Amino acid sequence: MAHAAPRPTGLATRGLGSDAAVKLTPVLALVYGYWAAAIQRSGGPITAGNVWLGIVSTVAFAAVYLAVLKLAPRLPREARALAWGAFAGIAFGYLYSLTGESVLRSAGNAGLFGAAVACAAFYRFYTTED
């Protein structure tokens, strides 16, 4: 007699829109903003422009992250994975562009990173959904 496999509990069934992900938003945004400011300052003194870049990066990252968290669960798994990949690729590309590399190299690396995240997200969504 065949029995159904037990359903996983915990993070695998809650998805990326869980309360833990929302509570983690300020931490992720602050790390991102600090990282952007640190890259842009390039070891030099802290300036007002550098501080503002960090603040604006923090707010923008948090706003887009929360928007993806809210909207992604409503999408089919393919579009949801693409949304997370695009978010990760754009966030990575912006940080990479602050290093002074060319726009073409920044866009290429961002595209590769975003594609990798989209593939990983699709795999996760495909294997954990009903």
Side-chain angles (χ1 to χ4, degrees):
M1 182 171 183
H3 294 281
R7 293 193 44 93
T9 59
L11 288 176
T13 59
R14 290 193 310 222
L16 290 174
S18 68
D19 290 336
V22 172
K23 291 178 184 176
L24 194 60
T25 302
V27 174
L28 293 174
L30 286 171
V31 168
Y32 187 84
Y34 175 76
W35 198 349
I39 290 172
Q40 194 262 345
R41 136 176 118 85
S42 189
I46 297 174
T47 63
N50 186 255
V51 171
W52 278 110
L53 175 74
I55 292 170
V56 170
S57 297
T58 298
V59 170
F61 181 90
V64 177
Y65 180 74
L66 287 172
V68 174
L69 272 177
K70 183 169 178 67
L71 297 176
R74 299 178 186 159
L75 300 172
R77 71 174 74 110
E78 296 85 2
R80 189 175 348 148
L82 187 62
W84 282 111
F87 170 73
I90 291 168
F92 175 80
Y94 176 67
L95 288 179
Y96 195 81
S97 72
L98 290 176
T99 64
E101 290 292 335
S102 70
V103 173
L104 185 59
R105 187 169 185 150
S106 297
N109 285 338
L112 290 173
F113 186 76
V117 170
C119 288
F122 177 76
Y123 176 78
R124 181 188 180 278
F125 298 143
Y126 189 78
T127 57
T128 59
E129 284 185 348
D130 289 334

